[in-house]
Amino acid sequence: MAKPIVAIVGRPNVGKSTLFNKLIGERRSIVEDIPGVTRDRIYGECEWCGRKFSIIDTGGIEPKTDDIILKQMRFQAQVAIESADVILFMCDVRSGLTASDRDIAVMLQKSGKPIIPCINKCDSVGQLPFEFYEFYELGFDCEPIALSSVHGSGTGDILDAVVEALPEYSPDEEDDDSIKVAVIGKPNAGKSSIINKIVGQNRLIVSDIAGTTRDAVDTLVENEHGKFTFIDTAGIRRASKINDKIEKYSVLRAHMAVERADVCLIMIDAGTGITEQDEKIAGIAHEAGKACIIVVNKWDSIEKDNSTTNTFNDRIRTALAYMPYAPIVYVSALTGQRVVTLFEHIKYVHNQANTRISTGMLNDVLADATMRAQPPSDKGKRLKIYYMTQVSVAPPTFVLFCNNAELFHFSYQRYIENCLRQTFGFGGTPIKLIVKAKGDE
């Protein structure tokens, strides 16, 4: 089941990012940080009272402005609002209830989502400023919550309110035995086209299911290869007239789709080649531990010679050096070239990501690896690896117990990972290694 989404919105400079950082970074007992691949920290994860949910940090909203930057920020916030299950509406008690706050409140009420008003900068201990009570005028179902995002006071009350407002767990979602496939990539890379071609070639469509965003639709396809739910992330180009840099919001869309997916198809436009934006989007899937397939679309439009494919392969492997495990498939959504082969690739990488290896077999590989390449040493102390065991799948995750975790250099971890891949495959999926020193809990 996908985690619910909580969006933090409000005017500029009311403390949204500070609260976001507090929720995903400093409350270490309840928060798990997700490594980002972009410098914009807009997406994180939190857990409270046993409920896990994703948090989106947005730029400040200025409801009435002609400033192009503020328009971009407003659009980003609107994307988050559409996608969210719960919205934290942040205001600044020092500024009081402003006209912009009222305009934003009207916009949020139209969304029909649960709104939690968070009144920031209530820094005085035990006494609320008079201005705090103005915010009751907003008329939300949830009463305003006093907050100091700098000091962290009030965050527990906010998280309690979030958990209360989150949608109920639906066991029906867990009953879906289809493979969830997120189709991610830049605008115009052919995400919708590839799904349309798949649907057109495989007529046994069970149903269309509303997705987590207003303009995303999950398409359930059942054929001789199995059951697949394709998660389309198209639609971002609708607002492209706002600014030609609007593509950065495809990163936000990709986060949402990847969260729900088992397998990610990373769409690359053969005409433009791999770009920095492609690297960012691919990095999201890699960091999330998802099985991945790199799909180069519009291959029919490229003039080719004997070295064209090898040249493309080299460029992709160089740009995406962190994910050498992902297979590369060259397709054309227009002509249908090799589109049908995607089903077998999807099944293969999904199975690889869910592979379990017995502890005995793992330690046979470990013994052979340490015999062929001695573990590193430092200042007379040598690394000793006692044993290895697998603790989870999707991605395959292994814990290695040793005498000193600091001696377990990254390069030797990479060597162990390569040995695992040579023996067991794990094609199309990242591998996670957790190193623990003897005595660590």
Side-chain angles (χ1 to χ4, degrees), residues 9 27 106 184 240 243 294 304 339-340 387 437:
V9 301
R27 300 184 68 88
V106 171
I184 62 175
S240 61
N243 190 276
I294 301 166
K304 307 174 188 67
V339 168
V340 72
Y387 70 98

Side-chain angles (χ1 to χ4, degrees), residues 11-253:
R11 291 185 294 110
N13 301 318
V14 294
K16 297 182 298 298
S17 294
T18 307
L19 175 62
F20 175 82
N21 291 337
K22 185 70 67 174
L23 294 178
I24 73 163
E26 294 185 20
R27 300 184 68 88
R28 298 186 186 277
S29 63
I30 60 165
V31 174
E32 180 180 5
D33 231 340
I34 298 298
V37 292
T38 69
R39 285 170 292 183
D40 298 324
R41 290 179 298 166
I42 59 171
Y43 206 91
E45 305 234 331
C46 187
E47 180 177 353
W48 187 257
C49 296
R51 292 297 303 271
K52 294 182 179 180
F53 49 92
S54 300
I55 302 179
I56 303 173
D57 182 22
T58 66
I61 304 176
E62 284 288 357
K64 299 174 182 177
T65 180
D66 293 324
D67 183 276
I68 192 66
I69 301 299
L70 293 176
K71 280 187 175 183
Q72 290 181 40
M73 295 163 73
R74 182 172 63 198
F75 174 72
Q76 180 198 25
Q78 287 170 338
V79 170
I81 290 166
E82 292 168 11
S83 308
D85 297 290
V86 178
I87 297 168
L88 302 182
F89 175 31
M90 286 199 69
C91 301
D92 182 346
V93 74
R94 296 175 187 172
S95 302
L97 183 58
T98 67
S100 290
D101 290 329
R102 294 180 189 275
D103 290 340
I104 295 169
V106 171
M107 180 177 72
L108 295 179
Q109 284 170 329
K110 290 179 180 178
S111 74
K113 307 291 179 70
I115 312 296
I116 301 172
C118 306
I119 316 307
N120 195 25
K121 304 181 184 178
C122 296
D123 300 330
S124 300
V125 178
Q127 183 176 1
L128 291 175
F130 174 77
E131 292 81 4
F132 173 81
Y133 299 97
E134 295 179 1
F135 293 93
Y136 279 85
E137 296 178 24
L138 295 173
F140 293 117
D141 292 337
C142 178
E143 293 188 356
I145 297 176
L147 165 72
S148 173
S149 58
V150 171
H151 299 118
S153 60
T155 53
D157 294 334
I158 290 172
L159 289 168
D160 285 342
V162 166
V163 169
E164 185 176 346
L166 288 176
E168 291 294 324
Y169 168 75
S170 174
D172 292 340
E173 295 189 34
E174 293 290 348
D175 294 340
D176 183 2
D177 58 352
S178 65
I179 300 175
K180 314 296 187 301
V181 184
V183 185
I184 62 175
K186 290 186 309 182
N188 297 328
K191 299 185 293 297
S192 292
S193 298
I194 203 76
I195 292 178
N196 289 340
K197 180 60 68 173
I198 287 170
V199 169
Q201 290 182 347
N202 301 273
R203 300 288 181 181
L204 297 176
I205 304 169
V206 178
S207 63
D208 286 335
I209 308 161
T212 57
T213 62
R214 190 176 66 183
D215 57 1
V217 174
D218 294 359
T219 304
L220 183 59
V221 176
E222 185 171 6
N223 57 25
E224 66 272 21
H225 301 284
K227 291 173 66 176
F228 307 85
T229 299
F230 288 91
I231 305 167
D232 184 13
T233 57
I236 193 67
R237 272 299 191 189
R238 292 178 185 175
S240 61
K241 292 181 180 179
I242 294 176
N243 190 276
D244 61 2
K245 293 183 179 179
I246 209 69
E247 288 187 2
K248 71 179 183 179
Y249 300 121
S250 60
V251 174
L252 181 62
R253 299 263 191 219

